[in-house]
């Protein structure tokens, strides 16, 4: 065939004259990329072989590339691989132009698709939500093209890894923070429009906490957490108590005919009353001080004032907690009607003030939102289980003897906050939160913790939901306060297992047992290599984040919210201040990966369990290596995927086709979790997952799924939490259906229609991940499919 007569059909349908030089040049680039010396004669030979297959006067570009791949595979397989990767990359880049247009059209039309539903905490159909989604998609594209080194951009776009929060990459911001509220409140802080003084009442403490949440949310892309909510709010309760007492006492003294100055009365009260539960000695000393000032007040009159004061303080505290919850579920930050991703940790303050805060917080949580008491999504609440403080085996056994009496407060316990533990269990049964953090699990303990330390919360682990566990620290104090996650990236574990299995199957001289062993070896090697790849990518992002100026984060750095930021001049780079943050090597699809290797998950197959455990150990080896290499806080994260659970699966279906048991659903199972469809008991699930918590110190969670109305069986909740405690879970939660009829307010497990009013207008609250609950209607397709498949654990 005369080559001058051949016409090439381009991708847009246009035609042009054939040029053999273009084929030769493309092959030459593939040789260069591989590092194999190229010979002109070899390039020409391969080109001639490609052309020899031309049988028609017209041929498409894709057909020519297929021929090039085939000829390269015959003579230079490594070069062929590079050519295929480059071709796929170029196709991805070309597709992106039309892909972006398709995405934008979907945003404009407010389609119910996975782009618009990627974040269940955002109303993407509102104008602000649309703008945020537009910006997110375009900024990701900018990041791919101009900020990420090519190999990391390729790996992300091809589905080998997922670099989280890519849309925030150009801003150089970090993921999350845990506030030292005591420090902020005592110093006061400033916002864009002015300075805030130290608050003087529990209402002000709670309101300012929400303002801090909202303000700082605009400077980070993840969530915010308060590590010791009870300790931090306790001062506000005492201040309110003192002010209320001054008012009541002043009124009584006026009635008795004494000329009083309320400021002087308040001054005297503050000098004597350092608790809302004063002892007899304190009361007597105060009466003596009044007597010395010429004021006659009887002991009974003082007790009356104290009773009235305590009742009003409790009422004010309840209103403050009620307002705190309502504000965090209605106060928007960023764009898109997105409320703050907020978490609060509590349970170990044994003071009367701290206990009152949690008592009223739990009551307000049960009462819920609106006229029908809807379950509040935020804040994510985490109850700290601490031996000798909020839990003991003796107290647990005592409670089990007469649980109803224990729950109603009729039983005296040895641990000062065990009653709060029971109240927390009751609240979980009603409102899905709090979750439970176990401070005496060995890897959660702190050697400096002491029951006598009034600021012992500094040495108590706290978490931002399950997304970020920040505790160990190479570059400062081991604490959760004033620190957060810098960034994290997740590996596609099922893909590594599929590739390992295929590679092992291609070995012709191995027995079936030998192939299985080889598949495991290939898998562990690839996990180690991918963890190193991610560790380097995280370091490159960290180096980029370091170059941010302090004035980009006026609240977080300017107020020393991120510890060390307060020492920076606004035009200084944040630099080493970020070294106390963490870098997370994440993973998803442990179950699916084991299915690819063994045809069974790790829920019941011990060989699969051992292999998954070894894989996460490999990730930890890399984390330790990179801690030494760069002096940074690397850790392994059990990724709590929302949108990612479907993204990897869709990509792997396209790449490998549907593999039964591996990628035949719409989602990959989160992290190391036992398959959501696998029949397994509560105890066995906890036992199977508990050992993985020690390996995933960047964040983790274990949950169990209950059937029926958990609020009718609080005792079962307490039993489950005990199993988690005994099996040394780091952090756990209990899922159960929570349905509310929008029309009549009926609560319970509602199937298709409300059993009271027959309405189909039902709010169905479910836990999406450990750090987020929400109405099912706002979830993306992958997470809805996962929720549908979840079996109930007996």
């Amino acid at each position: 065939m005369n080559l001058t007569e051949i016409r090439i059909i381009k991708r847009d349908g246009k035609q042009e004259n054939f040029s053999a030089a273009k084929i030769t040049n493309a092959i030459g680039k593939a040789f260069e990329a591989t590092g194999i010396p190229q010979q002109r004669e070899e390039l020409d030979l391969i080109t001639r072989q490609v052309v020899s297959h031309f049988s028609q006067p017209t041929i498409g570009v894709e057909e020519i590339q297929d021929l090039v791949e085939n000829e390269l595979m015959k003579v230079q397989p490594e070069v062929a691989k590079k050519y295929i990767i480059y071709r796929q990359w170029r196709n991805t880049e070309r597709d992106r132009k039309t892909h972006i247009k398709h995405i934008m059209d979907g945003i404009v039309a407010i389609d119910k698709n996975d782009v618009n539903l990627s974040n269940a905490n955002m109303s993407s159909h509102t104008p602000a939500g649309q703008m945020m989604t537009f910006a997110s998609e375009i900024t990701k594209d900018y990041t791919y093209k101009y900020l990420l080194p090519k190999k990391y951009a390729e790996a992300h776009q091809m589905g080998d890894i997922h670099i989280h929060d890519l849309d925030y990459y150009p801003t150089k911001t970090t993921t999350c923070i845990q506030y030292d509220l005591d420090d902020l409140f005592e110093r006061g802080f400033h916002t864009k429009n002015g300075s805030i003084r130290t608050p003087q009442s529990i209402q002000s403490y709670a309101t300012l906490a929400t303002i801090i949440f909202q303000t700082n949310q605009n400077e980070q892309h993840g969530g915010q957490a308060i590590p010791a909510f009870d300790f931090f709010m306790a001062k506000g309760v005492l201040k309110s108590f003192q002010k209320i007492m001054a008012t009541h006492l002043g009124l009584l003294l006026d009635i008795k005919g004494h000329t009083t100055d309320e400021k002087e009365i308040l001054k005297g009260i503050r000098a004597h009353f350092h608790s809302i539960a004063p002892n007899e000695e304190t009361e007597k000393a105060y009466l003596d001080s009044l007597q010395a000032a010429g004021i006659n007040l009887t002991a009974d009159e003082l007790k009356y004032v104290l009773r009235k004061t305590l009742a009003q303080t409790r009422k004010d505290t309840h209103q403050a907690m009620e307002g705190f919850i309502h504000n965090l579920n209605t106060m928007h930050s960023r764009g898109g009607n997105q409320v703050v991703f907020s978490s609060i940790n509590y349970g170990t303050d044994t003071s009367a003030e701290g206990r009152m805060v949690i008592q009223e917080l739990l009551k307000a949580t049960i009462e819920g939102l609106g006229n029908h008491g809807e379950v509040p999504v935020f804040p994510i609440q985490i109850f700290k289980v601490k031996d000798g403080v909020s839990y003991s085996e003796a107290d647990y056994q005592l409670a089990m003897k007469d649980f109803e009496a224990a729950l109603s407060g009729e039983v005296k316990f040895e641990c000062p906050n065990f009653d709060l533990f029971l109240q927390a269990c009751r609240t979980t049964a009603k409102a899905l939160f709090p979750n439970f953090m176990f401070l005496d699990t060995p890897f959660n303990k702190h050697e400096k913790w002491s029951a006598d330390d009034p600021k012992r919360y500094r040495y108590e682990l706290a978490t931002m939901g399950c997304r970020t566990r920040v505790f160990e620290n190479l570059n400062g104090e081991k604490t959760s306060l004033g620190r957060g996650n810098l960034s994290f990236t997740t590996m596609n574990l099922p893909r590594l297992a599929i590739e390992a299995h295929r590679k092992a199957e291609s070995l012709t001289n191995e027995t079936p047992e030998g192939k299985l062993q080889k598949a495991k070896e290939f898998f562990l090697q690839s996990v180690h290599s991918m963890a190193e790849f991610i560790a380097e990518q995280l370091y490159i992002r960290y180096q980029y984040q370091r170059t941010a100026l302090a004035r980009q984060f006026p609240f977080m750095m300017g107020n020393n919210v991120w510890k060390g930021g307060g020492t920076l001049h606004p035009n200084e780079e944040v630099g080493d201040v970020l070294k106390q943050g963490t870098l997370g090597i994440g993973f998803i699809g442990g179950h699916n990966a084991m299915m690819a290797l063994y045809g069974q998950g790790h829920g019941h197959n011990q060989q699969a369990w051992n292999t998954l455990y070894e894989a996460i150990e490999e990730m930890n080896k890399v984390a330790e290596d990179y801690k030494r290499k760069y002096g940074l806080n690397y850790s392994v994260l059990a990724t709590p995927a929302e949108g990612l659970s479907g993204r990897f699966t869709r990509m792997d279906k396209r790449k490998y086709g549907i593999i039964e048991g591996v990628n035949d659903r719409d989602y990959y199972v989160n992290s190391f979790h036992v398959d959501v469809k696998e029949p397994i008991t509560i105890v066995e699930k906890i036992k199977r997952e508990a050992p993985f918590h020690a390996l995933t110190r960047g964040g983790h969670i274990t949950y169990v799924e209950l059937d029926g109305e958990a609020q009718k069986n609080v005792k079962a909740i307490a039993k489950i939490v005990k199993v988690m405690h005994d099996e040394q879970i780091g952090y756990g939660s209990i899922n159960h259906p929570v349905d509310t009829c929008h029309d009549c307010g009926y609560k319970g497990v509602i199937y298709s229609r409300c059993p009271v009013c027959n309405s189909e207008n039902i709010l169905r609250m479910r836990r999406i991940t450990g750090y987020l609950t929400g109405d099912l209607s706002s979830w993306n397709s992958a997470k809805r499919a996962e929720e549908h498949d979840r079996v109930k654990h007996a």
Side-chain angles (χ1 to χ4, degrees):
M1 182 177 290
N2 189 344
L3 296 184
T4 60
E5 297 177 358
I6 295 176
R7 300 281 287 172
I8 304 302
I9 304 173
K10 299 176 68 177
R11 291 178 180 84
D12 60 4
K14 295 178 182 178
Q15 295 187 10
E16 65 178 26
N17 293 329
F18 170 71
S19 171
K22 289 185 177 181
I23 297 176
T24 306
N25 290 339
I27 298 170
K29 288 179 180 179
F31 270 86
E32 289 175 10
T34 315
I36 297 175
Q38 53 179 285
Q39 302 292 331
R40 185 68 194 186
E41 295 80 6
E42 187 174 13
L43 298 183
D44 289 340
L45 176 61
I46 296 170
T47 303
R48 287 196 297 273
Q49 287 296 109
V50 170
V51 173
S52 70
H53 293 286
F54 291 5
S55 59
Q56 300 294 330
T58 59
I59 185 169
V61 171
E62 293 291 340
E63 293 176 77
I64 294 175
Q65 291 185 339
D66 288 342
L67 292 171
V68 172
E69 286 182 15
N70 291 335
E71 293 305 321
L72 281 173
M73 286 298 294
K74 295 175 184 177
V75 293
Q76 290 286 359
E78 285 301 311
V79 176
K81 185 176 180 181
K82 287 292 181 181
Y83 181 84
I84 292 167
I85 291 172
Y86 178 74
R87 179 186 177 186
Q88 191 173 1
W89 168 252
R90 290 293 299 153
N91 286 340
T92 300
E93 285 299 294
R94 277 188 292 270
D95 289 345
R96 175 152 293 278
K97 295 177 182 177
T98 55
H99 180 59
I100 284 289
K101 174 66 165 54
H102 176 72
I103 288 173
M104 296 299 152
D105 289 343
I107 297 170
V108 170
I110 60 171
D111 291 342
K112 195 166 186 178
N113 57 38
D114 287 343
V115 170
N116 289 337
L117 295 176
S118 62
N119 182 350
N121 186 35
M122 189 174 80
S123 301
S124 57
H125 57 273
T126 64
Q130 287 178 299
M131 286 299 295
M132 191 168 181
T133 312
F134 279 133
S136 174
E137 294 303 319
I138 295 299
T139 309
K140 287 177 189 175
D141 195 50
Y142 174 81
T143 303
Y144 293 138
K145 291 177 178 175
Y146 306 113
L147 298 180
L148 275 178
K150 183 181 175 183
K151 62 180 179 180
Y152 301 122
E154 284 182 358
H156 178 96
Q157 291 187 304
M158 298 301 177
D160 294 329
I161 64 173
H162 182 85
I163 303 171
H164 292 267
D165 302 292
L166 263 178
D167 46 352
Y168 276 88
Y169 197 111
T171 70
K172 305 179 184 179
T173 189
T174 56
T175 302
C176 61
I177 189 71
Q178 301 223 28
Y179 301 116
D180 185 348
L181 274 193
D182 189 57
D183 181 46
L184 273 172
F185 284 158
E186 290 305 307
R187 288 188 292 107
F189 58 89
H190 59 83
T191 64
K192 180 179 179 181
N193 296 318
S195 298
I196 306 298
R197 296 187 298 272
T198 300
Q200 296 300 319
S201 69
I202 184 56
Q203 291 97 332
S204 295
Y205 270 72
T207 299
L208 289 183
T210 63
I211 290 171
I212 289 168
F213 267 133
Q214 185 187 37
T215 306
N216 198 75
Q217 180 85 2
N218 289 301
E219 297 183 11
Q220 294 187 285
H221 57 68
Q224 326 297 314
I226 298 175
F229 187 73
D230 41 2
F231 282 94
F232 296 150
M233 293 292 115
K235 288 184 178 180
V237 173
L238 181 59
K239 289 178 181 180
S240 284
F241 176 86
Q242 292 167 338
K243 289 170 68 176
I244 293 166
M245 183 177 175
T247 300
H248 286 334
L249 188 58
L251 178 60
L252 178 60
L253 293 178
D254 283 348
I255 293 171
K256 289 171 68 73
H258 293 284
T259 303
T260 59
D261 180 341
E262 192 167 313
K263 287 185 178 179
E264 285 300 314
I265 293 175
L266 180 58
K267 184 178 178 181
I269 289 171
R270 285 175 174 168
H272 286 84
F273 290 89
H274 305 133
S275 168
I276 64 172
N279 56 31
E280 294 288 339
E281 187 177 336
T282 298
E283 293 175 22
K284 184 177 184 307
Y286 183 63
L287 287 172
D288 289 345
S289 70
L290 291 179
Q291 187 73 35
I295 298 174
N296 293 316
L297 191 71
T298 68
D300 286 342
E301 289 172 330
L302 178 59
K303 287 187 180 298
Y304 171 79
V305 168
L306 288 171
R307 277 199 310 276
K308 297 290 286 184
T309 298
L310 188 62
Q312 185 62 48
T313 303
R314 185 172 294 280
K315 182 178 179 181
D316 286 3
T317 301
H318 185 82
Q319 290 179 338
M321 295 302 102
E322 191 175 55
F324 179 73
I325 291 172
H326 278 72
N327 282 336
L328 285 179
N329 285 279
T330 57
M331 216 165 53
H332 296 160
S333 65
R334 301 181 186 151
N337 290 15
Q338 185 174 178
V339 296
V340 181
F341 274 103
S342 54
S343 298
I344 56 174
N345 299 257
Y346 57 75
T348 55
D349 185 354
T350 57
S351 72
E353 297 79 32
R355 284 173 48 77
M356 180 180 283
V357 167
I358 303 311
Q359 288 164 354
E360 301 311 314
L361 174 73
L362 294 173
K363 289 177 187 175
T365 303
I366 287 176
E367 289 166 6
L369 306 172
N371 294 328
H372 298 320
E374 297 157 11
V375 172
V377 174
F378 293 110
I380 296 129
Q381 298 183 37
I382 301 109
F383 187 89
K384 299 188 213 176
V385 179
K386 176 66 181 172
D387 291 353
V389 177
S390 59
Y391 183 86
S392 75
E393 180 64 24
D395 281 344
Y396 173 82
Q397 295 301 335
L398 184 61
M400 289 299 114
K401 289 179 180 177
D402 189 344
F403 194 78
E404 290 305 315
L407 197 59
S408 62
E410 300 171 26
V411 179
K412 179 68 176 175
F413 298 108
E414 64 177 16
C415 292
N417 283 1
F418 187 82
D419 60 329
L420 293 183
F421 166 76
L422 294 179
Q423 295 303 319
C425 290
R426 178 162 65 183
T427 307
T428 294
K430 177 82 172 179
L432 288 170
F433 290 119
N435 298 337
F436 296 89
M437 171 76 70
F438 300 91
L439 298 186
D440 288 292
T441 293
F443 54 84
N444 284 349
K445 282 186 175 182
H446 198 302
E447 56 279 359
K448 289 187 178 181
W449 190 90
S450 170
D452 299 328
D453 182 357
K455 291 193 174 185
R456 56 190 176 275
Y457 58 81
R458 294 175 298 177
Y459 309 119
E460 293 176 356
L461 175 66
T463 187
M464 196 301 288
C466 68
R467 186 168 187 157
T468 309
R469 178 187 180 276
V470 178
F471 200 38
E472 296 82 9
N473 191 4
L474 292 176
N475 301 302
E477 183 77 78
K478 178 182 176 181
T479 184
S480 296
L481 272 67
R483 303 173 58 212
N485 177 254
L486 299 174
S487 66
F488 60 102
T489 296
T490 296
M491 71 175 71
N492 186 343
L493 214 55
R495 178 174 290 190
L496 299 181
I498 292 169
E499 294 283 358
H501 174 75
R502 291 190 169 192
K503 186 176 178 181
E505 285 297 310
S506 70
L507 301 176
T508 57
N509 58 344
E510 289 284 352
T511 64
E513 293 77 12
K515 287 182 179 180
L516 193 60
Q517 180 59 32
K518 285 294 183 182
K520 174 183 175 179
E521 291 173 7
F522 293 149
F523 174 65
L524 295 178
Q525 290 166 6
S526 64
V527 167
H528 190 100
S529 297
M530 186 58 71
E532 290 182 325
F533 183 79
I534 288 173
E536 288 292 351
Q537 180 268 314
L538 291 170
Y539 181 68
I540 288 170
R541 187 171 186 174
Y542 162 75
Q543 292 285 53
Y544 181 64
Q545 289 172 304
R546 283 176 55 90
T547 65
L549 302 180
R551 62 186 167 89
Q552 291 180 250
F553 316 108
F555 186 82
M556 183 168 68
M557 295 299 173
N559 288 294
N560 205 42
V561 173
W562 188 287
K563 294 298 185 185
T567 63
L568 298 173
H569 184 276
N571 287 322
E572 274 188 90
E573 291 185 353
V574 293
D576 284 349
V577 166
L578 295 187
K579 290 184 77 170
Q580 293 197 62
T582 62
L583 297 166
I585 301 171
F587 65 96
I588 186 176
H591 162 77
N592 308 84
M594 295 307 99
M595 289 294 296
L597 292 178
Y598 298 105
Q600 289 184 300
H602 60 292
H604 289 99
N605 184 304
Q606 190 60 39
Q607 191 176 16
W609 191 97
N610 291 341
T611 297
L612 182 58
Y613 191 87
E614 288 177 50
I616 304 173
E617 282 186 314
E618 290 300 318
M619 298 179 207
N620 274 276
K621 290 176 185 175
V622 173
E624 292 301 316
D625 288 344
Y626 274 80
K627 282 180 185 178
R628 289 188 289 270
K629 183 175 181 178
Y630 293 129
L632 296 173
N633 293 304
Y634 281 90
S635 57
V636 177
L637 171 73
T639 301
E642 189 180 341
L644 177 58
S645 64
R647 176 178 180 259
F648 275 166
T649 317
R650 289 191 297 272
M651 299 178 89
D652 286 351
K653 283 179 181 178
R654 288 197 296 268
K655 186 177 178 70
Y656 303 108
I658 295 177
I659 306 172
E660 186 179 355
V662 180
N663 62 5
D664 53 348
R665 303 181 207 165
D666 290 335
Y667 60 90
Y668 281 150
V669 178
N670 264 347
S671 61
F672 54 71
H673 289 173
V674 170
D675 182 18
V676 298
K677 293 184 74 171
E678 187 157 352
I680 190 169
T681 67
I682 289 171
V683 173
E684 189 60 24
K685 185 177 193 292
I686 291 170
K687 285 183 174 181
R688 299 298 278 179
E689 294 184 3
F692 293 106
H693 286 223
L695 298 180
T696 51
R697 300 194 186 187
H700 49 241
I701 196 168
T702 280
Y703 74 88
V704 295
E705 195 84 25
L706 303 187
D707 200 359
E709 295 185 50
Q711 61 181 316
K712 295 179 180 178
N713 194 359
V714 179
K715 189 174 184 179
I717 301 289
K719 288 180 177 180
I720 294 168
V721 178
K722 172 185 164 51
V723 175
M724 290 180 174
H725 170 275
D726 292 350
E727 294 299 326
Q728 298 187 340
I729 284 285
Y731 179 50
S733 69
I734 300 164
N735 295 352
H736 53 88
V738 179
D739 299 330
T740 304
C741 175
H742 276 301
D743 292 336
C744 74
Y746 172 80
K747 286 186 179 61
V749 178
I750 303 175
Y751 296 98
S752 57
R753 295 174 179 270
C754 174
V756 174
C757 71
N758 210 35
S759 171
E760 294 181 352
N761 187 15
I762 309 301
L763 174 70
R764 302 186 186 279
M765 297 295 288
R766 301 291 186 273
R767 193 185 307 275
I768 303 175
T769 61
Y771 66 89
L772 184 62
T773 60
D775 181 13
L776 271 173
S777 64
S778 67
W779 295 19
N780 64 57
S781 59
K783 293 306 288 186
R784 284 199 301 272
E786 186 220 273
E787 194 280 337
H788 177 269
D789 287 347
R790 293 176 186 172
V791 298
K792 308 302 180 184
H793 301 125

